[in-house]
Amino acid sequence: MLVSTRNDEEPEVGLAEIELTAEGACDAMFEGFSSLRRVFQWHSAEVSRVPAGSVVLAENDACAVQAMRWGVCAYGFQFHAEISETTVTDWESIPQYMESLCEALGAERAHLLAAEVRPLLPNFRSDAYLLSENLREIVLRNRPHSDDDRPA
């Protein structure tokens, strides 16, 4: 196995702050991002050991590997950049997910998560767009060129 994972004793669910590492602050994936980001989490497993040659790009106290890169263009994220207007309510409809939500936040706060996330969706959308554009640039910069693509 390239990455070693473990189940968390306590799930990381809801809104959280992550911080870019020194390597993350210099990585093309996070170009245009501040070093401290608010993100959406919903997981009960985490990377406990990264593969040789990989770099941890973001972290927080709950999970030491919030983002990582292996090689030139393989990235992994612990947080959910893909969150949309329906993510929380869709996932709340899955009994196991709702259970982890209530376990992490308490029943009262769990039922308020969708409302808590809603005003942050424009920022999450902007972050997701920037991540996808940064990845596109990384891939284009590192793609193999055929003889037809090379300048004369």
Side-chain angles (χ1 to χ4, degrees):
M1 178 185 280
L2 287 177
V3 176
S4 178
T5 62
R6 69 176 177 81
N7 285 332
D8 294 339
E9 291 178 17
E10 203 171 300
E12 186 178 21
V13 179
L15 298 171
E17 300 286 331
I18 64 167
E19 187 166 5
L20 297 180
T21 63
E23 293 86 356
C26 298
D27 196 274
M29 178 58 77
F30 289 103
E31 187 174 319
F33 285 88
S34 63
S35 64
L36 193 61
R37 303 296 312 157
R38 191 168 214 192
V39 297
F40 182 73
Q41 302 278 5
W42 201 315
H43 65 91
S44 60
E46 69 176 288
V47 174
S48 59
R49 185 172 43 104
V50 297
S54 63
V55 180
V56 175
L57 304 175
E59 61 192 0
N60 72 7
D61 290 340
C63 183
V65 183
Q66 288 286 348
M68 61 180 270
R69 178 179 43 78
W70 183 68
V72 179
C73 3
Y75 287 86
F77 302 96
Q78 188 70 56
F79 56 94
H80 291 278
E82 80 285 3
I83 185 171
S84 72
E85 292 82 2
T86 63
T87 301
V88 174
T89 54
D90 288 348
W91 291 357
E92 284 174 340
S93 70
I94 302 168
Q96 298 89 336
Y97 284 26
M98 188 62 186
E99 183 181 318
S100 74
L101 178 61
C102 289
E103 182 183 323
L105 302 179
E108 185 177 324
R109 184 152 175 249
H111 291 290
L112 300 174
L113 183 60
E116 189 178 352
V117 166
R118 193 171 299 112
L120 302 173
L121 287 170
N123 291 341
F124 291 150
R125 231 177 268 116
S126 295
D127 286 355
Y129 179 79
L130 186 53
L131 285 170
S132 68
E133 285 299 303
N134 287 350
L135 180 59
R136 185 176 77 73
E137 290 300 318
I138 292 165
V139 169
L140 288 174
R141 245 190 338 263
N142 291 287
R143 71 180 176 163
H145 295 282
S146 69
D147 289 338
D148 294 336
D149 290 341
R150 295 177 199 245

